[in-house]
Amino acid sequence: MSSSHPLIAAAKALSAQVDALRFAPPVSHVYNPLDYAWPVHESYLRRFGSGRKRVVLVGMNPGPFGMVQTGVPFGEIAVVRDWMGLSGAVGRPAVENPKRPVEGFDCPRSEVSGRRLWGLFQERFGTAEAFFADHFVANYCPLAFFDGGRNLTPDKLPVAEAAPLLAACDAHLRALVEALSPEWVIGVGAWAEQRAATVTAGLPVKIGRVLHPSPASPAANRGWSEAATRQLLALGVWTD
């Protein structure tokens, strides 16, 4: 397949850059779904990442039962398969974490963050085509980090390891924003908002954020969909 699509070319470049990075303990395993789940990720970009988008939502990095399994940001399996209509081969990382196996679309676990995020969009827009007509969802960092069975987020990496990773991810996010020309870039959580603000400095975009839908967040557990909707309405991203 041709890689003339700007998001596909940018994702391939990012994947190659982050594959060259090395991380010391406590990181025990690093997964790059842009590599082993590339066919599904490419289908996601090809089907939903074309044209201008008014709103780009940016998450932090892959979750163990979402993008790690499907290659799609916040990629709750049922949503990716049934709502987006995506499928494809999902391989395995070169060094697999026995506590976090990659089972692809056969993974029996649910990605709560993804179920909440995409559930809101399903409820508000109905079809994937209606949502993606002027929205897009990306992850800032494509890598998942593990300390044994524990998920590590990129904001917890030491500065020396984080610097080259952030440089690659910043360049990719800027390329994505330049390709999609959004009015709004919305961080899913404070850290993603901060990275988006840094990356888009000087570009004609507005920055905002929504509460992260993680089950580790007590506020998200009290009604994430309602809270995120209120935030997007208050910003003016959505209207009643």
Side-chain angles (χ1 to χ4, degrees), residues 171-194:
H172 172 264
L173 181 57
R174 190 168 177 103
L176 183 143
V177 170
E178 288 175 343
L180 297 178
S181 300
E183 177 185 348
W184 284 95
V185 177
I186 303 295
V188 182
W191 191 81
E193 179 196 28
Q194 182 262 316

Side-chain angles (χ1 to χ4, degrees), residues 19-138:
D19 266 348
L21 302 178
R22 296 294 174 263
F23 302 91
V27 174
S28 62
H29 297 81
V30 180
Y31 285 3
N32 178 9
L34 297 187
D35 175 32
Y36 63 81
W38 176 253
V40 189
H41 188 75
E42 183 185 30
S43 293
Y44 173 70
L45 298 180
R46 198 173 288 281
R47 185 173 301 181
F48 299 121
S50 295
R52 189 172 179 214
K53 307 293 182 184
R54 194 174 64 83
V55 184
V56 172
L57 296 107
V58 181
M60 181 185 270
N61 76 313
F65 310 114
M67 187 170 179
V68 159
Q69 304 295 335
T70 64
V72 173
F74 293 94
E76 164 80 349
I77 287 163
V79 171
V80 174
R81 182 190 60 218
D82 303 331
W83 191 59
M84 297 183 196
L86 298 176
S87 61
V90 177
R92 292 179 181 274
V95 181
E96 193 166 21
N97 181 353
K99 295 184 176 176
R100 289 289 178 262
V102 173
E103 300 168 278
F105 286 87
D106 294 326
C107 178
R109 299 284 295 270
S110 176
E111 179 81 356
V112 174
S113 293
R115 196 169 73 236
R116 288 173 173 171
L117 183 100
W118 293 113
L120 168 59
F121 302 150
Q122 284 178 284
E123 185 180 338
R124 186 173 180 90
F125 292 90
T127 66
E129 288 71 23
F131 170 74
F132 284 108
D134 62 357
H135 291 67
F136 189 70
V137 178

Side-chain angles (χ1 to χ4, degrees), residues 12 82 117 151-152 170 192 196 201 216 226 230 235-236:
K12 283 183 173 176
D82 303 331
L117 183 100
N151 192 41
L152 292 174
D170 282 356
E226 295 79 9
R230 281 195 303 272
L235 286 166

Side-chain angles (χ1 to χ4, degrees), residues 25 59 68 98 102 119 145 159 162 169 183 195-196 209:
V68 159
V102 173
F145 303 93
V159 172
C169 295
E183 177 185 348
R195 295 314 310 164
R209 104 170 166 232

Side-chain angles (χ1 to χ4, degrees), residues 135-154:
H135 291 67
F136 189 70
V137 178
N139 265 333
Y140 171 76
C141 172
L143 299 180
F145 303 93
F146 300 99
D147 171 6
R150 193 163 68 92
N151 192 41
L152 292 174
T153 50

